[in-house]
Amino acid sequence: STMTQGGMLILLFDELVKRLTRAEFAVDAKEFELFDESIQRCKDIIKYLKETLDLSYPISSELIRMYNFFDYTLVRISASRNKELIEDLKPLVMDLRETFKEANKIAR
């Protein structure tokens, strides 16, 4: 209850990166139940980010497209269990996290 909106957003992206990393390890270990749970949690986070996005800001249209791309890629990852797709997605998520972290610093 004391966390700022920016702090909450960064925390969600941290969790997203954590779950993607967990999915990578699960593929290697052939722990497909853990993989499926991790990817589903990623999808849930992206869904929440899309639902809570304030569309009154011009940047929101760019963010919604990025979130849609993330969602599309997660569906592909889920269907194929392709670790390379995870490796491609993770840096994009991490870059967006860093962008929000910098914006949060400036907003304070």
Side-chain angles (χ1 to χ4, degrees):
S1 64
T2 60
M3 188 176 289
T4 65
Q5 287 181 336
M8 178 64 121
L9 192 58
I10 293 165
L11 189 64
L12 284 168
F13 275 92
D14 287 344
E15 185 67 17
L16 190 55
V17 171
K18 181 176 104 176
R19 296 296 177 140
L20 287 169
T21 302
R22 187 177 286 172
E24 281 180 298
F25 289 126
V27 166
D28 289 339
K30 299 195 184 321
E31 293 184 24
F32 298 120
E33 187 175 325
L34 177 62
F35 171 84
D36 291 337
E37 290 171 3
S38 299
I39 295 301
Q40 184 56 52
R41 183 67 177 128
C42 291
K43 289 178 188 179
D44 292 343
I45 292 169
I46 295 300
K47 180 182 177 189
Y48 176 79
L49 290 170
K50 286 167 57 173
E51 288 174 352
T52 59
L53 187 60
D54 184 349
L55 298 175
S56 66
Y57 296 101
I59 190 70
S60 297
S61 63
E62 296 298 320
L63 286 172
I64 198 75
R65 285 197 299 218
M66 187 166 279
Y67 293 158
N68 285 336
F69 173 75
F70 290 171
D71 200 27
Y72 169 76
T73 304
L74 288 167
V75 169
R76 290 180 59 211
I77 291 168
S78 182
S80 67
R81 294 185 173 143
N82 186 336
K83 184 178 174 182
E84 291 173 7
L85 290 173
I86 300 171
E87 292 169 352
D88 291 343
L89 181 61
K90 241 170 81 173
L92 299 174
V93 171
M94 292 167 71
D95 285 347
L96 189 55
R97 180 209 178 273
E98 287 305 310
T99 301
F100 280 123
K101 186 176 178 181
E102 286 300 313
N104 192 41
K105 277 186 200 176
I106 292 168
R108 286 193 216 173

